[in-house]
Amino acid sequence: MIWARRNLAIISDFEPIGPRLPIEFCRVSRDGRLTLGIDEAVGAPCITYATISAFDNLDDAIANLGDREGMPSSNRSIGFTVPDCGRQSPRAVERHPRAVKIITVWANARGFDPGIWTALGSNFAEKARGPFSVEAAIRYLRAQNGKTLDAALAYIRRAPPEVQTPVREAVNTRWPQAPDLR
């Protein structure tokens, strides 16, 4: 999202000022890439990026982020927390309750009221037909065709430098990036 904002309406660039959250490349996207998600079981603690929505209304900001993520309006997986009144997204609390608490404390300390984020759960077991592990992620990537593998590796490599996870390390070991000789 940082480098592909599409229709996301924000008033400033993303910055590495977000809370440290357990994230990993544990979600299989529609096009076969492994993408980042909050996962309290397998995620590595990483600094996250944040920005300010151009919308003042929570529902509008949620709709905008959901549209950017290609989520149908009837099934939005957008997490939110409103520290001033204690309101939180039930789906996010179900998927990653500790992360919601961390985000709530962070949003309150930063004066973000509310805070929203993409709260998709891992779908690796469903899409890759087996439980997630670093080894399973590498096997999954090895099984992809050239175009899908190239897109997956590009996504992982393009993640912010603050995102250092076991999958990223394994990818960089298995598929070392050629040095830039320019």
Side-chain angles (χ1 to χ4, degrees), residues 70 134 176:
V134 173

Side-chain angles (χ1 to χ4, degrees), residues 35-131:
T35 60
L36 288 166
I38 298 171
D39 192 308
E40 294 180 348
V42 301
C46 297
I47 293 293
T48 56
Y49 277 57
T51 188
I52 299 172
S53 172
F55 293 97
D56 291 331
N57 176 284
L58 175 61
D59 291 334
D60 292 341
I62 287 172
N64 180 239
L65 180 55
D67 289 346
R68 188 270 171 222
E69 292 291 329
M71 295 175 187
S73 60
S74 62
N75 189 26
R76 300 250 191 227
S77 289
I78 303 301
F80 66 85
T81 181
V82 186
D84 280 354
C85 69
R87 191 169 149 226
Q88 299 173 332
S89 161
R91 181 169 288 158
V93 170
E94 177 186 316
R95 288 187 176 151
H96 42 260
R98 290 188 310 270
V100 172
K101 288 178 183 174
I102 292 167
I103 294 166
T104 300
V105 168
W106 172 84
N108 192 44
R110 287 280 185 160
F112 292 147
D113 193 46
I116 66 170
W117 64 95
T118 304
L120 293 165
S122 175
N123 64 354
F124 186 88
E126 170 192 332
K127 298 287 187 176
R129 296 182 177 87

Side-chain angles (χ1 to χ4, degrees), residues 18-41:
R20 185 176 294 274
L21 297 174
I23 60 176
E24 183 55 277
F25 296 92
C26 61
R27 181 166 178 80
V28 179
S29 67
R30 283 183 218 105
D31 63 3
R33 294 172 296 127
L34 287 181
T35 60
L36 288 166
I38 298 171
D39 192 308
E40 294 180 348

